[in-house]
């Protein structure tokens, strides 16, 4: 919430002085609304959900195997020799490690679900951004932001980029600024 408020305040602070100097046209999109009404998105989401459900079932099976092994160990613990107890505990720990590795491999931050989501959603996001840019240029918008996220700008006219000026104000030498050729002065 704090990041969203900061983003909105920052956006407002950047826009309000500019509005006093010249009339600028600002628009917004609701990417959640757009995605919900895009047939491609529903298909991709169904595919992702199906993958996630399949992996979830596999994890539940693995958890069941761990629980069974642990119950068996508890029931027979007194009958096992010390070596057998140690081996059974190691087997249970190995199963738990395998479960955690499976979880990370499929659901972790760099997991298969994330990769598939990026791969499948990338073209849809690119189409949406291209459509936003086309509409912004055709309708002469200076800024377009997404109200569904953290008020992120999805389109802006380069002529309003003051990034280099802000860095200069912070004491950064413009000659040493990486990517200065892409930012407007």
């Amino acid at each position: 919430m704090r990041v969203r408020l900061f983003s909105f305040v920052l956006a407002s602070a950047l826009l309000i002085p500019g509005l006093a100097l010249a009339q600028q046209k600002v628009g917004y999109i609701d990417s959640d609304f757009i995605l919900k009404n895009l047939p491609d998105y529903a298909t991709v989401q169904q595919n992702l959900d199906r993958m996630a459900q399949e992996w979830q079932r596999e994890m539940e099976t693995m958890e069941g195997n761990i629980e069974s092994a642990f119950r068996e160990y508890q029931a027979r613990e007194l009958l096992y020799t010390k070596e057998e107890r140690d081996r059974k505990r190691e087997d249970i720990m190995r199963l738990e490690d395998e479960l955690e590795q499976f979880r990370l491999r499929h659901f972790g931050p760099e997991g298969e679900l994330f990769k598939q989501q990026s791969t499948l959603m990338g073209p849809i996001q690119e189409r949406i951004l291209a459509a936003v840019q086309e509409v912004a240029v055709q309708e002469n918008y200076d800024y377009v932001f997404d109200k569904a996220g953290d008020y992120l700008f999805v389109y802006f006219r380069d002529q309003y980029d003051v990034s280099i000026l802000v860095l200069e104000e912070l004491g950064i030498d413009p000659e040493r600024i990486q990517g200065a050729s892409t930012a407007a002065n």
Side-chain angles (χ1 to χ4, degrees):
M1 182 65 177
R2 183 178 284 170
V3 171
R4 180 179 285 183
L5 179 61
F6 176 75
S7 297
F8 184 72
V9 169
L10 179 62
S12 298
L14 293 173
L15 290 175
I16 291 172
L19 291 174
L21 297 174
Q23 197 117 58
Q24 295 177 345
K25 196 169 179 182
V26 178
Y28 70 89
I29 63 167
D30 182 344
S31 60
D32 288 342
F33 174 77
I34 292 170
L35 287 171
K36 287 177 188 172
N37 287 287
L38 202 60
D40 296 6
Y41 174 76
T43 303
V44 165
Q45 194 59 50
Q46 287 172 353
N47 289 339
L48 291 171
D49 289 346
R50 191 173 22 257
M51 275 188 264
Q53 288 170 356
E54 180 180 318
W55 292 328
Q56 186 64 38
R57 282 191 299 274
E58 288 182 50
M59 282 182 21
E60 289 168 1
T61 299
M62 294 170 83
E63 288 168 348
N65 292 341
I66 292 169
E67 288 175 25
S68 294
F70 186 69
R71 280 194 306 270
E72 179 185 337
Y73 171 78
Q74 284 182 321
R76 298 179 185 208
E77 182 177 10
L78 297 176
L79 301 175
Y80 293 141
T81 65
K82 180 180 177 348
E83 293 81 25
E84 288 174 322
R85 278 194 303 272
D86 290 344
R87 188 177 53 78
K88 292 288 185 179
R89 278 186 287 213
E90 286 175 9
D91 288 346
I92 292 169
M93 289 173 45
R94 181 184 47 76
L95 291 173
E96 288 174 340
D97 287 344
E98 288 174 7
L99 173 62
E100 186 58 27
Q101 291 300 316
F102 184 89
R103 182 178 286 123
L104 287 174
R105 186 172 52 250
H106 293 291
F107 295 104
E110 296 178 19
E112 192 62 30
L113 185 62
F114 178 77
K115 290 176 185 174
Q116 287 295 320
Q117 187 174 25
S118 296
T119 300
L120 297 172
M121 292 299 286
I124 292 172
Q125 291 168 334
E126 289 172 10
R127 281 183 41 221
I128 292 171
L129 287 174
V132 167
Q133 183 173 354
E134 186 66 30
V135 167
V137 169
Q138 286 177 3
E139 300 296 324
N140 205 28
Y141 281 96
D142 294 305
Y143 302 97
V144 176
F145 63 95
D146 184 359
K147 79 173 196 162
D150 290 332
Y151 295 100
L152 298 173
F153 284 98
V154 291
Y155 175 82
F156 54 89
R157 291 190 187 274
D158 287 336
Q159 70 194 46
Y160 299 117
D161 184 356
V162 295
S163 301
I164 299 296
L165 298 175
V166 170
L167 287 171
E168 287 175 347
E169 183 66 26
L170 292 169
I172 308 295
D173 181 9
E175 298 297 319
R176 303 191 71 162
I177 295 174
Q178 193 174 37
S181 63
T182 60
N185 286 320

